[in-house]
Each structure stands twice: as C-alpha cells, then as structure tokens.
Amino acid sequence: MPANSPKSPARSRVLDTATRLFYAEGVHSVGIDRIIAEAGVAKATFYHHFPAKDALVKAYIEEQTRQQQAAIDELTADGPREKLLAVFDRMGQIGALADFRGCPFINAAAEYPDPAHPVRQAIEEYRSWFRTLMRDLLTDAGDPDPVRTADLLMLIRDGLAVACDLDDPTAPRPVVRDAVLRVLDGAPAGV
Amino acid sequence: MPANSPKSPARSRVLDTATRLFYAEGVHSVGIDRIIAEAGVAKATFYHHFPAKDALVKAYIEEQTRQQQAAIDELTADGPREKLLAVFDRMGQIGALADFRGCPFINAAAEYPDPAHPVRQAIEEYRSWFRTLMRDLLTDAGDPDPVRTADLLMLIRDGLAVACDLDDPTAPRPVVRDAVLRVLDGAPAGV
DNA sequence: ATGAGAGCAGACAGACCTGTCTGTTCGGAA
DNA sequence: TTCCGAACAGACAGGTCTGTCTGCTCTCAT
C-alpha cells in the first residue's frame, strides 16, 4: 500500500499552490496557513505529506527543476547549436511575460544563505544539471573548450534572469541573442 | 538644531549592524529585536531614528549603494577601458572572498517582489547609476553602441555575482575577464 | 541650574507563524 | 458489513515579530 503516494491529489494541490505563491511572493513571506487555505487542504493533511515547511520548499525547488527540464526537453532544434539558441531565446520570451518574477532558484537561494541547507543543495542540483546540459551541447557543437564556454553561458543565463526581473524585461533578449551567437561562433575561446 | 541627525552614533550602530546581518542572513530572517540587541541600542531609540523596519531596509540599500560607489571611485585606472576592466576584476576578487553572499541588491529584490516598493526603487537607483557609469565609460572608450554594450556588461555583472554565490567562486573571474575584453575589443556590436 | 533632547531598559499588545492534537467524515477493500 | 486510511475542520500551544509606551539617566547649552 502506497502510504505517502506523491500522486495524492491533496499533496498535488498543496505543491501547486506553494509553487504559485512561493514564486510570486517569496518563500518566507508566505505562511503555511495561507497555503493550506488556498489549496483547500486541512492542516493535518499538509503535515501528513510534508514533515515541515522546509520540506515543502525543497519540494517546490525540485518541482521547478522538473518543469524547467521538461520545458527544455520540448524545445525542438536541428542541432546542438540551434538547441542552445532556442534555450536562450525561450528564456528571453518567458522573462518578458507579465508574471515573470526572476529565476526561482536564484530567488530562493537569496532566502537560504547557508550553502549546506537542503534547499540550497536542491538548487545546486538544478544548476549542475543545466551546466552539464550546456557542456554537452557545446561539445556536440564542436566548441574547443566546452567547460569554460559553459561557465560563460551560465553567466549569461543568470544575467538574463536578473535583468528581466529588475530592469526593462524586453531589452536583454536581442542582446543575449547576439552574445550567444558571438560565444558560439566567435574567437576560439583563447585569450 | 539637527533633530534626527544621520550622524548619530546610535543610528550608525543600528545601520552598521543591520547591514552586516541583512547581508549575511537575509532581510526577513533578521528581526528588529536582534538588530537592536547586537547594536546595543534601546528599542525606543531605534524607532526614534527609523519609522519602521522597511525604512531601515531602504537605508541599508542606500548604504550599500554609497559603499559600492566609493569602492569604484577609489579604483585608479589610466583610462575608461582600464577602469572597466578594473571594476570587473575587483568584483571577481570580492566574489571569491569567504564571506561573499551574492549581490545585496539582487538578494534584497528577491525578498521584495513588488516593483513599486520603496526598497525596490532604491535598488533601481543603484542599478541605474551603475548602468549609466558603464555607458559613460564605454562612450569614452569609443564604443560604437554604448547603450547596448552597457546592457551586456550589466548581464555579465549580475551573472558574476550570482555565480560567485552559488557556484565555484573562483571560476568566473578569468572567464569574466576574457568576456569583458572581448566585449571591449571584439566585433563592433553589429549583428 | 535647569530644561530639552538623546539614549537606555524593558514591559506590553496584537498579530502571525509553525507544528500538534482532537474529533469527524467518507470511500474503498477485505 | 466492517474497518482502515486519507482527508477535513478547527482549536490550541508556544514562540516570534513589529511597534508602542512608560520611566529613568546623562549630557550639554542656555
């Protein structure tokens, strides 16, 4: 018998509501009471599925990871180069949407200073996955130094997310496209 | 008579303590009680100088702005190009320090989702100042499209701060130096 | 010397937050 | 039919947070 099935409808409602509220308003600003009220779930039910609030935050980060992985998976592209361009172009699109509130991982990390905290480790897992994805695509695209170039793309990724949140959200998209093109085609990474 | 002189020793102690704690642990995680205890100040004295906690947070952001402006002012450089390189190199240095916890402006913005909030506006003021600084230096350096190139440098700035906080803090420095050199020397910004 | 202002100490109210507990309802499996 | 687990409703405890208020002390300028 699946004691704590992660497929439980009540659990899903809680996680969906938490995802929406945490992203829109921040983790520490949203209390358990509000989440269970908007999810239509009893408090006991919440604590039946999650041992504490931090566990819910960790689940929120992992859920975001799954969603972003799925979104990138769905992007079709002819080759690694096109895939990389598609990833950054999609990020620019999403960043310009009205409800964009920055990168959920960067935002959550700002509220969890301790690098050893489970939430931070879940964030680290996403970043590690994304970095590896960049490296693999760059390797396939014939980049001479995929590790270093992936670091550079990571920089652009984070800068794009922050800029869309804090500055004019439409400005970075073409700038990023140029930059990624230059990184892919440009001088062979030597100093 | 200077009713609420900003030079008051008690006020300075509060602001210094708040700066240290807010940066190290986040804004919402640090309570007023702890700040006044560590600053050695009575609660009434705190509320004599700041109408509410949010005002202290705004003062913290403005204090960070002043400090960063002073730090950049102190950097000596032969010309605009060298100044730009010096700014980013210094950021890479600071990002590798043990107590580095990310960009205080990005971190604070993550805790204040509402763009109309005074704290967000204080953050916007810093970013606006920094962006203008980049534009002016790029103009002096003869960049053909300083506005667009400044956007790109802004991206690198934010990416550097995030990377030093969340990933290996020593990795980005050389990558950023290469990137900035390429941005300054590289293809004349055309598509 | 006296009075104003700056600061200290700490109690207090009221709200909110997390997490626990009691009791009830309901559906499905044995 | 009966019984168990999942979920609901909501009270409750214990802690924390912000902001107010009362008194007291000290310094300094008038």
Side-chain angles (χ1 to χ4, degrees):
Chain A
M1 65 267 297
N4 270 13
S5 119
K7 297 288 179 200
S8 148
R11 188 184 192 277
S12 292
R13 258 178 297 151
V14 168
L15 190 49
D16 289 351
T17 306
T19 296
R20 179 171 52 85
L21 294 178
F22 283 164
Y23 180 67
E25 305 186 20
V27 172
H28 288 154
S29 300
V30 177
I32 292 295
D33 280 341
R34 180 138 168 251
I35 291 172
I36 66 172
E38 296 202 18
V41 151
K43 207 164 207 181
T45 305
F46 168 78
Y47 280 101
H48 175 71
H49 288 288
F50 300 96
K53 187 187 177 184
D54 271 3
L56 175 62
V57 179
K58 183 158 173 267
Y60 154 64
I61 294 296
E62 290 165 347
E63 175 65 20
Q64 288 285 344
T65 299
R66 272 190 298 275
Q67 288 182 16
Q68 304 234 359
Q69 288 171 342
I72 288 182
D73 246 24
E74 281 168 16
L75 289 178
T76 59
D78 284 348
R81 190 189 134 91
E82 284 70 27
K83 180 87 174 186
L84 283 167
L85 285 168
V87 166
F88 281 88
D89 196 58
R90 171 59 70 90
M91 279 189 59
Q93 274 178 38
I94 293 174
L97 296 179
D99 59 354
F100 185 73
R101 260 269 298 135
C103 166
F105 306 103
I106 294 175
N107 288 348
E111 301 200 55
Y112 286 87
D114 178 9
H117 194 286
V119 169
R120 277 292 282 263
Q121 288 175 344
I123 292 168
E124 170 57 29
E125 262 179 51
Y126 171 80
R127 293 182 69 81
S128 166
W129 169 80
F130 189 86
R131 187 183 299 270
T132 302
L133 174 70
M134 295 292 107
R135 284 182 187 171
D136 291 348
L137 288 171
L138 287 166
T139 303
D140 289 358
D143 188 279
D145 191 349
V147 170
R148 189 157 188 167
T149 310
D151 282 355
L152 188 48
L153 288 182
M154 204 78 189
L155 236 65
I156 294 174
R157 186 215 101 99
D158 294 333
L160 172 59
V162 170
C164 286
D165 186 24
L166 301 186
D167 307 327
D168 173 12
T170 64
R173 197 173 164 197
V175 176
V176 163
R177 182 173 170 83
D178 282 6
V180 173
L181 278 172
R182 249 191 279 179
V183 165
L184 293 180
D185 299 333
V191 179
Chain B
M1 66 266 295
N4 268 10
S5 120
K7 297 289 179 199
S8 147
R11 188 184 191 279
S12 292
R13 258 179 297 152
V14 168
L15 189 49
D16 289 351
T17 307
T19 296
R20 179 170 52 85
L21 294 179
F22 284 163
Y23 181 67
E25 305 185 20
V27 172
H28 289 335
S29 300
V30 177
I32 292 294
D33 281 341
R34 181 138 166 251
I35 292 171
I36 65 173
E38 297 201 16
V41 152
K43 208 166 205 181
T45 304
F46 168 78
Y47 279 101
H48 176 71
H49 287 288
F50 301 95
K53 187 188 177 183
D54 271 2
L56 175 63
V57 178
K58 183 157 172 268
Y60 153 64
I61 295 296
E62 290 165 347
E63 174 65 20
Q64 287 285 343
T65 298
R66 273 190 297 275
Q67 288 182 16
Q68 303 234 359
Q69 288 172 342
I72 288 182
D73 247 23
E74 281 167 17
L75 289 179
T76 59
D78 284 348
R81 190 190 134 91
E82 284 69 27
K83 181 87 174 187
L84 283 166
L85 285 168
V87 167
F88 280 89
D89 196 57
R90 171 60 69 92
M91 279 189 58
Q93 273 179 37
I94 293 174
L97 296 179
D99 58 356
F100 185 74
R101 261 269 298 135
C103 167
F105 306 103
I106 295 174
N107 288 348
E111 300 199 58
Y112 286 87
D114 179 10
H117 194 285
V119 169
R120 276 293 282 264
Q121 288 175 345
I123 292 167
E124 170 57 29
E125 263 180 50
Y126 171 81
R127 294 182 69 82
S128 166
W129 168 80
F130 188 86
R131 187 184 299 271
T132 302
L133 175 70
M134 294 292 107
R135 284 180 188 172
D136 292 348
L137 289 171
L138 286 166
T139 302
D140 288 358
D143 188 280
D145 190 348
V147 170
R148 189 157 187 166
T149 310
D151 283 354
L152 188 49
L153 288 182
M154 204 77 189
L155 235 66
I156 294 175
R157 186 215 101 98
D158 294 332
L160 172 58
V162 170
C164 285
D165 186 25
L166 301 185
D167 307 327
D168 172 13
T170 64
R173 197 173 164 198
V175 176
V176 163
R177 181 171 171 81
D178 282 6
V180 174
L181 278 172
R182 247 190 281 180
V183 166
L184 292 180
D185 299 334
V191 178

